[in-house]
Amino acid sequence: MSVPQVELHCHIEGAASPAFVRACATRNGVNLPPEIFTPDGAYSCDDFLHFLSVYETACTAICTPRDYAELVYDYYTHAAHSGLIYGEMFISADHPAAVGISYGDFVDAIADGYGRAHEKTGITARFILTCVRNYGVEQAEAMAQLAHSHPHPLITGFGMGGDENRGMPADFTRAFDMARDAGLGLTVHAGEVCGPKSVSNCLEALKPSRIGHGVRAIENNEVVARLAGEGIVLEVCPGANIALGVYGQYRQSPIRRFLDAGVKLALGSDDPPYFHTDIANEYAQVQRAFSFTDEDMRAISQTGLEAAFCDDLTKVELMSKLSQ
Ligand code: ADE
Ligand code: ZN
């Protein structure tokens, strides 16, 4: 794959392979329930809610700053070797807090892992502080408050993942307003498992510039037109959609239909080992499924950079890498 890749959607703990999680469990003395793995050692993942539950359980093994630093370093050195030039990663303050890591130590660990990967490979990354919808409004607002009180140059976005079926987007308006006031770019998971209304509700209540997934917006022409008209960028993760049963194959992803309708999109691997993929594979599969040229793929990377939550100078430098 020759086109430089840009990734806008990947979750930090979701980037941890089963081998990494098992190694963390061993050194941290955590007993992981064997049923989170299949007999051949992959993550067990039947549907969306089962995935979220396995993910939460696997997270309990990742419990020291060293674990987080290694995870970020491993992810970005490997991805850089496969052609990634810029990546954004969702980080949640909830998981480190649950295992007793302070927010400051967590952020330092991430900055350390990324700093070493950047030095070794030249890759650029930024991080999106992400609340979990099913953890409720108070936790989301506390996370937005952290963004205010502990600003960090690598943390440039605020997002929300978790179970789309829980709560109303409007419940989270204050959290997103606080994050916007802190100067962060905004993205929300919607239209992954729920329908187009989940996307329009999020646009109205939270005013993000990007939507995580958003693919089910394709089921309503008005929502598609709205996405195109407002220039909202979708972070599409087709491998995740296939693994969770939203689509059967890559060519059934609405990627081409969105592009034809003028909707901007970039790619992500979401939780790559859970979904048996990585960002290089997402690029390769999308190119193959839609017979896209290298220029088509470069345009997707360019959209990713335009929508990236990083400063303009960094974007200019990355754009020049893209055209090399
Ligand atoms: N958290 C981690 N991966 C997620 C996904 N694909 N959807 C919602 N929340 C998530
Ligand atoms: Zn996601």
Side-chain angles (χ1 to χ4, degrees):
M1 178 81 213
S2 54
V3 173
Q5 302 142 27
V6 170
E7 171 164 66
L8 295 190
H9 193 119
C10 177
H11 298 259
I12 188 166
E13 292 92 355
S17 67
F20 181 86
V21 161
R22 284 184 197 273
C24 289
T26 303
R27 73 183 179 216
N28 296 329
V30 173
N31 278 322
L32 286 174
E35 61 271 18
I36 69 165
F37 302 109
T38 63
D40 53 5
Y43 288 117
S44 182
C45 178
D46 297 337
D47 57 29
F48 182 63
L49 291 182
H50 183 236
F51 153 71
L52 286 181
S53 139
V54 169
Y55 179 97
E56 295 274 331
T57 306
C59 280
T60 61
I62 304 169
C63 48
T64 67
R66 172 188 162 190
D67 298 341
Y68 276 106
E70 273 183 22
L71 179 50
V72 170
Y73 174 81
D74 289 352
Y75 185 77
Y76 281 122
T77 47
H78 175 268
H81 285 128
S82 306
L84 188 70
I85 58 167
Y86 178 77
E88 288 182 5
M89 203 177 242
F90 293 111
I91 59 171
S92 160
D94 295 317
H95 293 295
V99 292
I101 305 175
S102 74
Y103 184 66
D105 287 350
F106 172 58
V107 174
D108 286 349
I110 281 163
D112 170 59
Y114 163 58
R116 287 186 291 114
H118 173 71
E119 227 160 79
K120 187 165 179 191
T121 66
I123 195 164
T124 302
R126 294 291 185 271
F127 297 86
I128 303 170
L129 196 58
T130 304
C131 59
V132 179
R133 188 153 157 176
N134 41 294
Y135 291 178
V137 173
E138 261 177 43
Q139 251 170 277
E141 290 183 1
M143 190 115 49
Q145 186 55 48
L146 268 180
H148 257 288
S149 52
H150 295 66
H152 189 284
L154 290 175
I155 300 179
T156 53
F158 186 79
M160 180 161 71
D163 183 359
E164 272 182 54
N165 282 298
R166 301 274 284 278
M168 289 305 292
D171 300 340
F172 298 90
T173 298
R174 215 168 89 99
F176 275 74
D177 284 348
M178 287 161 76
R180 188 183 301 101
D181 284 351
L184 300 178
L186 304 180
T187 175
V188 192
H189 282 59
E192 178 186 16
V193 287
C194 295
K197 193 84 189 132
S198 72
V199 174
S200 46
N201 284 345
C202 281
L203 292 178
E204 255 135 57
L206 308 177
K207 303 191 172 31
S209 62
R210 301 184 347 208
I211 292 283
H213 297 279
V215 282
R216 289 200 55 201
I218 201 69
E219 296 164 27
N220 182 300
N221 291 340
E222 271 173 39
V223 180
V224 171
R226 179 170 184 183
L227 290 170
E230 294 182 15
I232 305 293
V233 174
L234 303 184
E235 306 154 3
V236 179
C237 309
N241 299 149
I242 292 166
L244 297 177
V246 183
Y247 302 111
Q249 297 174 6
Y250 279 85
R251 62 187 165 79
Q252 289 165 342
S253 164
I255 286 176
R256 186 186 281 282
R257 290 161 67 200
F258 278 129
L259 292 173
D260 288 348
V263 176
K264 297 184 193 178
L265 60 86
L267 294 177
S269 60
D270 207 0
D271 305 284
Y274 286 82
F275 303 142
H276 318 290
T277 191
D278 60 28
I279 187 61
N281 183 54
E282 293 301 281
Y283 265 71
Q285 296 283 358
V286 166
Q287 180 160 23
R288 189 171 314 125
F290 298 102
S291 303
F292 285 155
T293 63
D294 281 359
E295 282 321 298
D296 295 330
M297 298 310 293
R298 210 178 292 277
I300 290 178
S301 289
Q302 185 172 332
T303 302
L305 289 182
E306 285 162 0
F309 297 153
C310 68
D311 58 279
D312 288 345
L313 183 58
T314 304
K315 282 191 195 191
V316 169
E317 286 168 4
L318 290 163
M319 287 290 185
S320 78
K321 279 193 182 181
L322 192 56
S323 48
Q324 272 163 22

